Amino acid sequence: RASELIPLNVFQRAPLYEQIGRPAGINYVLGGVIENGPEYFATISFMHDTVDFTDGHKDLLRTVVQSCRTKLLLANPALVRAR
C-alpha cells in the first residue's frame, strides 16, 4: 500500500499526483514488483478512489505477483540464467 510508504496528505501534494492522480480520482495505490531484471522492470498496480486497500488485498496481490513471476520465468528461461 502506498499509504505505508507515504502519508496520503503528502502523496496528494506531489506534482505527479496533481498532474495525474487527482484528475483520475486516484487516492490509494497498491502495487508490487513482478521482476526487477537487468534489462527491464515489471510491476503491477491497482488504484482506488475512496478507501485504502486491506491486508486481504495485499495478500491477494502477493499471490498474483508470485504467479506472474513464475509464469514470466517459465516463459523466458534466459531470465533465470541472468540472475
Side-chain angles (χ1 to χ4, degrees), residues 36-56:
N36 184 6
E39 297 178 12
Y40 66 91
F41 188 71
T43 64
I44 186 170
S45 62
F46 299 92
M47 291 138 198
H48 199 275
D49 59 348
T50 57
V51 296
D52 204 353
F53 293 90
T54 65
D55 288 340

Side-chain angles (χ1 to χ4, degrees), residues 41-78:
F41 188 71
T43 64
I44 186 170
S45 62
F46 299 92
M47 291 138 198
H48 199 275
D49 59 348
T50 57
V51 296
D52 204 353
F53 293 90
T54 65
D55 288 340
H57 292 123
K58 283 175 53 178
D59 292 341
L60 179 59
L61 178 64
R62 205 171 284 118
T63 301
V64 169
V65 165
Q66 186 57 48
S67 177
C68 289
R69 183 176 296 139
T70 300
K71 289 179 183 0
L72 178 68
L73 293 175
L74 287 173
N76 298 286

